[in-house]
Amino acid sequence: MAAEEQAKELPQILILGPPSIFPYLESQFSNRFLFLKPWLYNLPLTQFLTSYAQSTQALLIRGGGNTQLTSTIIDCLPSLKLVVTSSVGVDHLDFPELRRRGVAIANAGNLFSEDTADMAGGGVAVGLLIDVLRKISAGDRFVRQGLWSKKEDFPPGLKLSGKRIGIVGLGKIGSEVAKRLEGFGCKISYNSRTKKSMAPYSYYPNVYELAANTEALIICCALTKETYHLINKEVMLALGKDGVIVNIGRGLIIDEKEMIRCLTQGEIGGAGLDVFENEPNVPEELFNLDNVVLSPHAAVMTYESKVELSKLVVNNLEAFFSNKPLVSPVVD
Amino acid sequence: MAAEEQAKELPQILILGPPSIFPYLESQFSNRFLFLKPWLYNLPLTQFLTSYAQSTQALLIRGGGNTQLTSTIIDCLPSLKLVVTSSVGVDHLDFPELRRRGVAIANAGNLFSEDTADMAGGGVAVGLLIDVLRKISAGDRFVRQGLWSKKEDFPPGLKLSGKRIGIVGLGKIGSEVAKRLEGFGCKISYNSRTKKSMAPYSYYPNVYELAANTEALIICCALTKETYHLINKEVMLALGKDGVIVNIGRGLIIDEKEMIRCLTQGEIGGAGLDVFENEPNVPEELFNLDNVVLSPHAAVMTYESKVELSKLVVNNLEAFFSNKPLVSPVVD
């Protein structure tokens, strides 16, 4: 049998987005599925779907942002029975319409809240903190721009060892951060809604007090009504001109405009930011600051988690095509 | 008394280099010393010295490299009684000539081998390792270049947690590195001349075996005849295509040409380099690689150590001008 004919017998998966894991998925699993890639065709999406995807039973879609699964798209897919999203969130799916048509939904399950991702998040938080304090990315720019060989002196950074660090949100990721910082001899304090009876760290019920008594704040909490703009002007002024903020939570937890003003005017010392108010758009004022490290929302995603997520996606697809229960179904 | 006349009565210190700590020193101690700054004058150095420094009893010089205290310079300074260098090394001083004239010498003493510096070195080693694995500096470039908002996906990095790490040289800095990595759940092994009976880590008498059994090598040893090009082609191939090297020791411990070849051809995964064979000249091939982090020999120097070094320099100067013993004299 020709390879092409063999491919036709593979289950057909429509790819929308595509998800960031797709290149890996394609390289590993093209022998098990036939992936439909609309972005390769010079056609409006609805026309592509009408021409090529009438028999498609399953689709894989990337997480939120600009990729939406609308009822217009769903209308073009009469055979659709399964939607797999590579995200935890499902806000980008027209849930009522999918339910009405009896389409099953699977997501990333609790993959990003498992130990492996917590550790990844903890690792990046510590990495961003060392990077800001010791100016590693700034030093890398300095060397690559050829300034070192011009015998300029690179200004020294601050030491992490022994510093007083405040963790905002001592959940699973926050605890992983704290554990790592203990190895640096840091004095850990934290703020959270309630005191954790098991945590061997100083508790501050008020984030302002935490900032006033520490040299760096690491934001690890979730975004809620209560944490929206929790890190405001007063908190930043309390942290002070040598103070550093690391944010691996959500952009909206910090008043970003005020933070940029504080960074520019030297009212805080620096920031390591994995998240922003309006991703993937990062305020351009940050691009020219040497006291910030900018990261493209990469704290939780590692090569290892990409491999795990790809396996989870494939396991859901295979379960569906062999009439078994989904591995990580989204239920109402 | 006018401020200018008052300044004339302060002890005069000739500055050569200048040392990287000089801006800080000047900002803090201009009320105690009158600093002579030859680089501000449009004169050959010897002419400056002959015109302005005939009565100078003390000079402060930066460490090695391109700044040398030659007999020609010494000849222009008939009143010279004290040389303070901001470095540990004194190779840049014409020692016999200074001795012959009875000039006292002070250096940075053991400042850079004290706990504070060890911890700083340990911190930067871990920071470079996280940075290379998780691509923090590369991610910062990606965001600053505006690529994220063009909806490109940034390729995920590797997780540090749980990795098998090999430490080359388990001295004071190496031990600080190991302690910090334990907090990340890493499995630590090491190579050194002799097994350390107290160290709770696996010992490999052979660095090749260490590389073959670990995912990252952290070079913390001193440069000796035995460690010159210790990290050669065979060791790098044993480390393998996902393996990472961090060097905070000395550039010549690695075969740099071979490392660049391995990095370019994907035979090792990445490198975080604080030291180079021919500093401050860094091979330009490294400037275009995304899998390296380049640091301008900054592991040991922090703001805190700059403050300490400045104090040590001032304490030596003050001891000299009040006829007390030097704090950190260089003796034969």
Side-chain angles (χ1 to χ4, degrees), chain A residues 79-116:
Chain A
S79 309
L80 189 68
K81 293 279 175 294
L82 172 69
V83 169
V84 181
T85 174
S86 60
S87 57
V88 176
V90 292
D91 294 345
H92 56 312
L93 310 180
D94 185 337
F95 224 80
E97 182 62 17
L98 291 170
R99 282 295 183 240
R100 203 181 62 72
R101 292 176 182 250
V103 176
I105 304 172
N107 69 351
N110 61 357
L111 195 70
F112 293 117
S113 59
E114 279 177 10
D115 285 356
T116 171

Coordinates of all heavy atoms in Angstrom, one line a residue, chain A residues 79-116:
Chain A
S79 N -19.4 16.3 11.3 CA -19.1 15.0 11.9 C -18.4 15.2 13.2 O -17.9 14.2 13.8 CB -18.2 14.2 10.9 OG -18.8 14.2 9.6
L80 N -18.2 16.4 13.7 CA -17.3 16.6 14.9 C -17.9 15.9 16.1 O -19.1 16.1 16.4 CB -17.2 18.1 15.1 CG -16.2 18.5 16.2 CD1 -14.8 18.3 15.8 CD2 -16.4 20.0 16.6
K81 N -17.1 15.2 16.8 CA -17.5 14.4 18.0 C -16.6 14.7 19.2 O -16.9 14.4 20.3 CB -17.5 12.9 17.7 CG -18.5 12.4 16.7 CD -19.8 12.3 17.3 CE -20.9 11.9 16.3 NZ -21.1 12.9 15.3
L82 N -15.4 15.3 18.9 CA -14.4 15.5 20.0 C -13.6 16.8 19.8 O -13.1 17.0 18.7 CB -13.4 14.3 20.1 CG -12.3 14.5 21.1 CD1 -12.8 14.5 22.5 CD2 -11.2 13.5 20.9
V83 N -13.5 17.6 20.8 CA -12.6 18.8 20.8 C -11.6 18.6 21.9 O -12.0 18.3 23.1 CB -13.4 20.1 21.1 CG1 -12.4 21.2 21.3 CG2 -14.3 20.4 19.9
V84 N -10.3 18.6 21.6 CA -9.2 18.6 22.6 C -8.6 19.9 22.6 O -8.2 20.4 21.5 CB -8.2 17.5 22.2 CG1 -7.1 17.4 23.3 CG2 -8.9 16.1 22.1
T85 N -8.5 20.6 23.7 CA -7.7 21.8 23.8 C -6.4 21.6 24.6 O -6.4 20.8 25.6 CB -8.6 23.0 24.4 OG1 -7.7 24.1 24.6 CG2 -9.1 22.6 25.8
S86 N -5.4 22.2 24.1 CA -4.1 22.0 24.8 C -3.9 22.9 26.0 O -2.9 22.9 26.7 CB -2.9 22.3 23.8 OG -3.0 23.7 23.4
S87 N -5.0 23.6 26.4 CA -5.0 24.4 27.6 C -5.8 23.8 28.7 O -6.6 22.9 28.5 CB -5.6 25.8 27.2 OG -6.9 25.6 26.7
V88 N -5.7 24.4 29.9 CA -6.6 24.1 31.0 C -7.9 24.8 30.8 O -9.0 24.2 30.9 CB -6.0 24.5 32.4 CG1 -7.0 24.2 33.5 CG2 -4.7 23.7 32.6
G89 N -7.8 26.1 30.5 CA -9.0 26.9 30.3 C -9.8 26.5 29.0 O -9.2 26.0 28.1
V90 N -11.1 26.7 29.0 CA -12.0 26.4 27.9 C -12.8 27.6 27.5 O -13.8 27.4 26.7 CB -12.9 25.2 28.2 CG1 -12.1 23.9 28.4 CG2 -13.7 25.4 29.5
D91 N -12.4 28.8 27.9 CA -13.2 30.0 27.6 C -13.2 30.3 26.1 O -14.1 31.0 25.6 CB -12.5 31.2 28.2 CG -12.6 31.2 29.7 OD1 -13.4 30.4 30.2 OD2 -11.9 32.0 30.4
H92 N -12.3 29.7 25.3 CA -12.3 30.0 23.9 C -13.2 29.0 23.1 O -13.2 29.0 21.9 CB -10.8 29.9 23.3 CG -10.1 28.6 23.7 ND1 -10.2 28.0 24.9 CD2 -9.4 27.8 22.9 CE1 -9.5 26.9 24.9 NE2 -9.0 26.7 23.6
L93 N -13.9 28.1 23.8 CA -14.8 27.2 23.1 C -16.2 27.6 23.3 O -16.6 28.1 24.4 CB -14.6 25.8 23.7 CG -13.2 25.2 23.9 CD1 -13.2 23.9 24.5 CD2 -12.4 25.2 22.5
D94 N -17.0 27.5 22.3 CA -18.5 27.7 22.4 C -19.1 26.5 23.1 O -19.6 25.6 22.4 CB -19.1 28.0 21.0 CG -20.5 28.5 21.1 OD1 -21.2 28.1 22.2 OD2 -21.0 29.1 20.2
F95 N -19.0 26.6 24.4 CA -19.4 25.4 25.2 C -20.9 25.0 25.0 O -21.1 23.8 24.7 CB -19.2 25.8 26.7 CG -18.6 24.8 27.5 CD1 -17.2 24.5 27.4 CD2 -19.4 24.0 28.3 CE1 -16.7 23.5 28.2 CE2 -18.8 22.9 29.1 CZ -17.5 22.7 29.0
P96 N -21.9 26.0 25.0 CA -23.3 25.6 24.8 C -23.5 24.9 23.5 O -24.2 23.8 23.4 CB -24.0 26.9 24.9 CG -23.1 27.8 25.7 CD -21.7 27.4 25.3
E97 N -22.9 25.4 22.4 CA -23.1 24.8 21.1 C -22.5 23.4 21.0 O -23.1 22.5 20.5 CB -22.5 25.8 20.1 CG -22.6 25.3 18.6 CD -24.1 25.3 18.2 OE1 -25.0 25.9 18.9 OE2 -24.4 24.6 17.2
L98 N -21.3 23.3 21.6 CA -20.7 21.9 21.6 C -21.5 20.9 22.4 O -21.8 19.8 22.0 CB -19.3 22.0 22.2 CG -18.2 22.7 21.3 CD1 -16.9 23.0 22.1 CD2 -18.0 22.0 20.0
R99 N -22.0 21.4 23.5 CA -22.9 20.5 24.4 C -24.2 20.1 23.6 O -24.6 19.0 23.6 CB -23.3 21.2 25.7 CG -22.1 21.2 26.7 CD -21.9 19.8 27.2 NE -20.9 19.8 28.2 CZ -19.7 19.1 28.2 NH1 -19.4 18.5 27.1 NH2 -18.9 19.1 29.2
R100 N -24.8 21.1 23.0 CA -26.0 20.9 22.2 C -25.8 19.8 21.2 O -26.7 19.0 20.9 CB -26.4 22.2 21.6 CG -27.9 22.3 21.3 CD -28.2 23.7 20.6 NE -27.6 23.8 19.3 CZ -27.9 23.2 18.2 NH1 -28.9 22.3 18.2 NH2 -27.2 23.4 17.0
R101 N -24.6 19.8 20.6 CA -24.4 18.8 19.5 C -23.8 17.5 20.1 O -23.4 16.7 19.3 CB -23.4 19.4 18.5 CG -23.9 20.6 17.7 CD -22.8 21.1 16.8 NE -23.3 22.3 16.0 CZ -23.5 22.3 14.7 NH1 -23.2 21.2 14.0 NH2 -24.0 23.4 14.1
G102 N -23.6 17.5 21.4 CA -23.1 16.3 22.0 C -21.6 16.0 21.7 O -21.1 14.9 21.6
V103 N -20.9 17.1 21.5 CA -19.4 17.0 21.2 C -18.7 16.9 22.6 O -18.9 17.7 23.5 CB -18.9 18.2 20.4 CG1 -17.4 18.1 20.3 CG2 -19.6 18.3 19.1
A104 N -17.8 15.9 22.7 CA -17.1 15.7 23.9 C -15.9 16.7 23.9 O -15.4 17.1 22.9 CB -16.6 14.3 24.0
I105 N -15.4 17.0 25.1 CA -14.3 18.0 25.2 C -13.3 17.4 26.2 O -13.6 16.9 27.3 CB -14.8 19.4 25.8 CG1 -16.0 19.9 24.9 CG2 -13.7 20.4 25.9 CD1 -16.7 21.1 25.4
A106 N -12.0 17.6 25.8 CA -10.9 17.2 26.7 C -10.0 18.4 26.8 O -9.8 19.1 25.8 CB -10.2 15.9 26.2
N107 N -9.4 18.5 28.0 CA -8.4 19.7 28.1 C -7.1 19.2 28.7 O -6.8 17.9 28.7 CB -9.0 20.8 29.0 CG -9.2 20.3 30.4 OD1 -9.0 19.2 30.8 ND2 -9.5 21.3 31.3
A108 N -6.2 20.1 29.2 CA -4.9 19.7 29.7 C -5.0 19.1 31.1 O -4.0 18.8 31.7 CB -3.9 20.9 29.7
G109 N -6.3 18.9 31.5 CA -6.5 18.3 32.9 C -5.8 19.1 33.9 O -5.7 20.3 33.9
N110 N -5.2 18.3 34.9 CA -4.5 19.0 35.9 C -3.0 18.9 35.7 O -2.2 19.0 36.6 CB -4.9 18.4 37.3 CG -4.5 16.9 37.4 OD1 -4.0 16.4 36.4 ND2 -4.7 16.3 38.5
L111 N -2.6 18.8 34.4 CA -1.2 18.7 34.1 C -0.4 19.8 34.6 O 0.7 19.6 35.2 CB -1.1 18.6 32.6 CG 0.3 18.1 32.1 CD1 0.5 16.6 32.3 CD2 0.4 18.4 30.6
F112 N -0.9 21.1 34.5 CA -0.1 22.2 34.9 C -0.1 22.5 36.4 O 0.5 23.4 36.9 CB -0.5 23.5 34.1 CG -0.2 23.3 32.7 CD1 -1.2 23.4 31.7 CD2 1.1 23.2 32.2 CE1 -0.9 23.3 30.4 CE2 1.4 23.1 30.9 CZ 0.4 23.1 30.0
S113 N -0.9 21.7 37.1 CA -0.9 21.9 38.6 C -0.2 20.7 39.2 O -0.2 20.6 40.4 CB -2.3 22.1 39.1 OG -3.1 21.0 38.8
E114 N 0.3 19.8 38.4 CA 1.0 18.7 39.0 C 2.4 19.1 39.5 O 3.0 20.1 39.1 CB 1.1 17.5 38.0 CG -0.2 16.7 38.0 CD -0.2 15.6 36.9 OE1 0.9 15.4 36.4 OE2 -1.2 15.1 36.7
D115 N 3.0 18.2 40.3 CA 4.4 18.5 40.8 C 5.4 19.0 39.8 O 6.1 20.0 40.0 CB 4.9 17.2 41.5 CG 4.2 16.9 42.8 OD1 3.4 17.7 43.2 OD2 4.5 15.9 43.4
T116 N 5.4 18.3 38.7 CA 6.4 18.7 37.7 C 6.3 20.1 37.2 O 7.3 20.8 37.1 CB 6.2 17.7 36.5 OG1 7.1 18.2 35.5 CG2 4.8 17.6 36.0

